[in-house]
Amino acid sequence: MRDIAMGRSLRSIGAILEKKILTDTIRIFRAGEPVFNPDTGQYEPGPPITVYEGPGAIFPAGGPSMVLHLAGQPYVNDTPSRYRLLTPLSAPVASREDKVTVLTSGDAPAAGRTWRVLDIGETSTLPVVRTTWIDQNTQTATGSSK
């Protein structure tokens, strides 16, 4: 009986978070299958595949990070701009190297920025929302990417 009550409590907390916190509209997408261009004789990136589009939120993870380098080699996921993406549990899990963009936001400068997914979404024994670590691609306020 306690497990049922706990499940209801988590669902109600998730519903509140979705309504009050996941107020941006985000899109998670990945590269599409390469398409052969007969004019150039080369394969070119196909249209991106949308994995998820809907409510979400992006939060900085405490400011720029600093990773110590060992023997002059950077850590593989060293990033100066680590963020957390929050999505409803009903959203599909993003994969490493998927991209995330903010479509609409109460913070106008956030719209149009892009991030790359560093790892698949975290799991938890007591899930309320899904957390995914991301790295910002957009490095200027004008929306240009690196």
Side-chain angles (χ1 to χ4, degrees):
M1 190 66 148
R2 184 174 183 274
D3 292 337
I4 293 171
M6 179 66 84
R8 280 194 199 133
S9 296
L10 288 177
R11 278 194 299 276
S12 48
I13 291 169
I16 291 168
L17 284 176
E18 286 183 36
K19 183 176 181 180
K20 300 290 186 181
I21 304 289
L22 307 184
T23 57
D24 291 350
T25 303
I26 59 110
R27 177 183 294 143
I28 301 171
F29 60 98
R30 62 183 56 134
E33 291 295 319
V35 177
F36 183 73
N37 181 338
D39 295 335
T40 64
Q42 301 289 320
Y43 281 94
E44 299 173 352
I49 298 167
T50 298
V51 175
Y52 170 76
E53 188 172 310
I58 294 178
F59 292 97
S65 63
M66 183 174 89
V67 176
L68 295 177
H69 301 271
L70 300 175
Q73 298 300 312
Y75 174 67
V76 68
N77 279 330
D78 190 4
T79 173
S81 57
R82 189 171 296 232
Y83 286 75
R84 289 174 293 145
L85 167 67
L86 303 182
T87 55
L89 291 174
S90 59
V93 176
S95 294
R96 185 183 302 248
E97 297 302 322
D98 282 354
K99 303 288 188 260
V100 177
T101 189
V102 174
L103 301 176
T104 62
S105 176
D107 180 17
R113 290 190 186 189
T114 61
W115 290 260
R116 76 180 168 99
V117 173
L118 294 174
D119 209 349
I120 63 171
E122 293 180 350
T123 59
S124 171
T125 300
L126 300 171
V128 178
V129 294
R130 182 170 281 93
T131 300
T132 305
W133 289 97
I134 55 178
D135 174 30
Q136 186 170 218
N137 289 331
T138 310
Q139 296 297 316
T140 64
T142 60
S144 62
S145 297
K146 42 170 162 170

